[in-house]
Amino acid sequence: MADSNTSYLCATCGWVYDPEQGDPDGGIAPGTPWEDIPDDWVCPVCGVGKEDFEAIEQAPVEQAPVEQPAELALHHDDQPPLVIVGTGLAGYSLAKELRKRDSGLAITLITSDGGEAYSKPMLSNALARHHQADDMVQKSAAAMASEFDLEIRSRCRVTAIDREQHTVQITDDDGAGSLKYDRLVLALGADARVFPASGSDDVGIATVNDLDDYRSWRAKIADSGRILLIGAGLIGCEFANDLASAAFEVVMVDPAPWPLARLLPQQLGFKLVEALQQQGCTVHLGRTVANYKQGHEGFVAVLDDGREIAFDHALSAVGLSPRIALAESAGLEVDAGIRVNRTMQTSDPSIYALGDCAQTQAGLLPYIAPLLAQARLLAANLCGETGSLALPAMPVVVKTPVLPLVVCPPPAGSEGNWEVESDNEGALALFRNADGNALGFALAGNRTSEQQQLAKNMPPLLAVEKEEIATEETSRVSGGETASETASSYECDFCGYIYDPAEGDPDGGIAPGTAWEDIPEDWVCPTCGAGKEDFTVVG
Ligand SMILES: Cc1cc2nc3c(=O)[nH]c(=O)nc-3n(C[C@H](O)[C@H](O)[C@H](O)COP(=O)(O)OP(=O)(O)OC[C@H]3O[C@@H](n4cnc5c(N)ncnc54)[C@H](O)[C@@H]3O)c2cc1C
């Protein structure tokens, strides 16, 4: 029997496997102990394997030990703290990575929300799991502050950055003030967009982009009703599937010719439409809402072909706008996001950015896997290393249990064609260029299990800067180190992480001084999860 107090936390996205609930959409019945889950099962949110989960003793949220108030946590010295703005997955992942490396660093997090640690991706499949907002809280701000020795100011907004004085202006219930920083990290996330149409203000179109949004959306829609879903992208389709599985009547509208049009070939897009229709959703593609009006009961959306759709509540899922205003008004370089270089540094050397608000050299990357790689790299750099961001291909799991999908799109601007192999059980689509090289893929149904294997042969999101690594290695080896330190190092072909035998990988259970040959075969790259076979000797 499963130990009912032990759950398993996905170290990549924060999803929690609770043996009592199982993962019915992934074929794991409620009551299945962790040990009995097949080894090829993957996290339903981000697609990583069982080896990326860690056991946690789960206390109900209301029983979480309330230590000293977060605001009273003490600094270790008189230095201004490292300040992180934002306690989403980016802010908290960075804080945890920093704490692994430096137990004494003073870290202050400021957030305009409640500071609860939760898995944002679960917002779009929470209804099917009968979750209220509070069920999704993994840890309160106070529990995070206590466990990781952080100062957390929740329900506190940063309104300006004074780069000369190294201070941020803040406002909370107690009024306005300022806080000094040593180094500042912006992990501000992105705002959900609403497509404007005449009458939309009267309808009150909702977006669900954080826990507070989910709490008010859940209260608004109660348990039944007609939902107008605007947007058939990744998040829109996830919400459509989730709402329909909880017995809501869903009508989805999108101007694109098929759902997830930028990520899927037409054939797979239509498969998804069929699956959603079988679940009871109505899908209007190639259409947009021209205007809204009051109906006899509820509201009416008038489409651009004149068709009228009656609904009770509207949800917008038409994309995100990175939060750049704070950075822009402080004079930092911004574009679609806050511009960062490969060390995650903005145009001000004391200010960094990561997560949904950051624009890397690979563009905006509003997904969990790149965000976690950024957090690890930035933590290492803030603790004195000089690493450079490199990202392998990172497939994204689309949480539409009605048709499981994994997408790994080709690099933006790639030219080529999709080749699709499909049968009743699933589909594999490969995007190939004129030379026949596969640059991206999409998988459906039973073919989704091929994602990790395929990803290894895809172009990286951001290739390793070879020269930089060679220089770094040379200078390290020529620095007069001990025999064990000069044993061969190995570089991950995907993300550029270097395994240095002198340092080992203590977080992965590999003690300093362990030679490459002595690392167990099931060890994986701590940065991107690639196996030993994906490493190459570098010196
Ligand atoms: C419904 C949904 C489903 C998703 N599903 C997936 C998925 O399956 N797989 C995947 O890879 N990705 C998924 N994503 C994307 C993923 O969740 C995000 O990329 C990620 O959570 C972003 O984290 P973040 O920390 O950058 O931003 P956020 O989580 O938005 O955090 C931003 C933080 O900044 C704070 N903040 C902002 N401005 C200020 C200010 N001025 N002062 C103080 N605090 C401020 C906010 O309060 C918040 O704490 C999904 C997203 C959504 C919305």
Side-chain angles (χ1 to χ4, degrees):
M1 282 295 292
D3 172 353
S4 60
N5 286 327
T6 307
S7 294
Y8 292 80
L9 176 75
C10 173
T12 304
C13 72
W15 183 75
V16 174
Y17 177 79
D18 175 351
E20 267 180 36
Q21 295 184 14
D23 172 27
D25 298 334
I28 310 298
T32 306
W34 181 251
E35 303 66 43
D36 295 350
I37 299 178
D39 284 337
D40 60 355
W41 173 84
V42 291
C43 171
V45 173
C46 66
V48 300
K50 275 182 83 177
E51 64 283 5
D52 290 312
F53 279 71
E54 56 196 51
I56 47 168
E57 291 298 315
Q58 224 190 13
V61 170
E62 58 275 16
Q63 291 172 21
V66 178
E67 306 289 334
Q68 60 177 338
E71 286 75 9
L72 298 182
L74 296 175
H75 284 161
H76 299 267
D77 52 38
D78 296 333
Q79 285 290 103
L82 183 143
V83 172
I84 302 171
V85 189
T87 57
L89 282 162
Y92 271 149
S93 302
L94 175 65
K96 289 194 238 174
E97 290 294 330
L98 283 166
R99 194 49 85 223
K100 279 187 202 165
R101 289 177 166 78
D102 186 339
S103 58
L105 181 71
I107 305 171
T108 296
L109 289 108
I110 305 173
T111 177
S112 50
D113 62 22
E116 300 91 349
Y118 73 103
S119 170
K120 185 185 277 208
M122 298 310 293
L123 295 175
S124 50
N125 59 0
L127 279 174
R129 292 169 192 263
H130 309 289
H131 284 334
Q132 298 291 339
D134 288 344
D135 301 328
M136 300 177 69
V137 176
Q138 291 160 350
K139 280 180 189 142
S140 64
M144 287 297 289
S146 159
E147 181 171 345
F148 296 100
D149 189 17
L150 309 167
E151 176 173 349
I152 302 176
R153 292 174 177 244
S154 52
R155 303 283 171 208
C156 176
R157 176 166 287 280
V158 173
T159 52
I161 302 167
D162 183 334
R163 289 166 50 197
E164 253 176 40
Q165 297 299 318
H166 270 221
T167 56
V168 287
Q169 305 302 313
I170 51 176
T171 54
D172 59 15
D173 283 350
D174 298 331
S178 71
L179 189 75
K180 209 151 177 57
Y181 65 82
D182 171 32
R183 285 160 300 170
L184 177 66
V185 180
L186 303 175
L188 303 168
D191 287 315
R193 290 203 299 261
V194 175
F195 179 73
S198 151
S200 47
D201 287 349
D202 301 329
V203 171
I205 298 173
T207 55
V208 176
N209 185 36
D210 60 31
L211 206 56
D212 290 342
D213 289 345
Y214 181 72
R215 185 172 282 111
S216 39
W217 172 242
R218 196 77 171 82
K220 190 174 181 182
I221 61 174
D223 293 320
S224 62
R226 300 162 301 172
I227 309 290
L228 174 71
L229 221 161
I230 307 142
L234 190 146
I235 290 175
C237 289
E238 292 184 353
F239 275 123
N241 190 155
D242 195 42
L243 284 156
S245 68
F248 287 85
E249 284 174 49
V250 180
V251 178
M252 191 157 52
V253 179
D254 195 298
W258 63 87
L260 278 78
R262 275 177 293 167
L263 304 173
L264 290 180
Q266 185 186 51
Q267 200 175 332
L268 266 67
F270 286 158
K271 262 183 186 283
L272 180 58
V273 173
E274 264 173 46
L276 289 169
Q277 284 170 336
Q278 278 168 15
Q279 213 198 6
C281 297
T282 304
V283 184
H284 295 285
L285 293 165
R287 299 270 67 96
T288 182
V289 178
N291 63 280
Y292 297 96
K293 58 186 186 183
Q294 189 69 46
H296 296 300
E297 278 178 40
F299 303 99
V300 172
V302 183
L303 303 192
D304 53 359
D305 61 356
R307 196 183 313 230
E308 299 203 341
I309 297 166
F311 67 95
D312 301 308
H313 305 290
L315 181 65
S316 173
V318 297
L320 298 170
S321 302
R323 295 184 176 125
I324 57 172
L326 189 63
E328 193 171 20
S329 58
L332 299 177
E333 246 177 61
V334 298
D335 186 5
I338 303 170
R339 277 185 172 279
V340 289
N341 65 16
R342 283 201 173 215
T343 67
M344 308 311 297
Q345 199 172 44
T346 67
S347 51
D348 179 326
S350 306
I351 306 180
Y352 303 78
L354 82 165
D356 281 8
C357 67
Q359 181 171 342
T360 68
Q361 286 172 11
L364 300 172
L365 300 168
Y367 300 110
I368 302 297
L371 166 166
L372 293 170
Q374 292 168 16
R376 288 187 198 117
L377 175 94
L378 179 52
N381 286 352
L382 289 168
C383 291
E385 292 178 29
T386 53
S388 211
L389 186 68
L391 300 168
M394 292 179 152
V396 177
V397 175
V398 186
K399 304 184 296 296
T400 44
V402 72
L403 178 69
L405 291 166
V406 174
V407 293
C408 185
S414 303
E415 295 203 354
N417 291 304
W418 286 102
E419 285 172 10
V420 184
E421 265 173 39
S422 170
D423 62 23
N424 289 339
E425 305 297 317
L428 157 68
L430 282 177
F431 185 92
R432 288 191 194 279
N433 65 10
D435 298 332
N437 298 323
L439 302 182
F441 65 83
L443 301 165
N446 67 354
R447 305 294 297 264
T448 53
S449 57
E450 295 168 38
Q451 57 165 305
Q452 283 175 5
Q453 198 52 38
L454 279 168
K456 291 182 178 176
N457 299 318
M458 293 298 134
L461 275 175
L462 194 54
V464 176
E465 286 181 320
K466 291 278 179 200
E467 266 178 33
E468 184 167 312
I469 283 165
T471 321
E472 215 176 90
E473 285 306 298
T474 314
S475 62
R476 220 181 320 169
V477 172
S478 62
E481 293 164 349
T482 65
S484 81
E485 285 169 337
T486 54
S488 294
S489 293
Y490 284 77
E491 178 190 341
C492 174
D493 296 339
F494 291 104
C495 69
Y497 164 83
I498 302 279
Y499 176 78
D500 176 348
E503 290 174 8
D505 171 25
D507 295 336
I510 310 297
T514 306
W516 181 253
E517 304 70 49
D518 297 338
I519 298 178
E521 290 308 315
D522 60 356
W523 175 84
V524 292
C525 170
T527 303
C528 72
K532 267 186 90 177
E533 66 284 6
D534 297 314
F535 278 69
T536 308
V537 64
V538 287

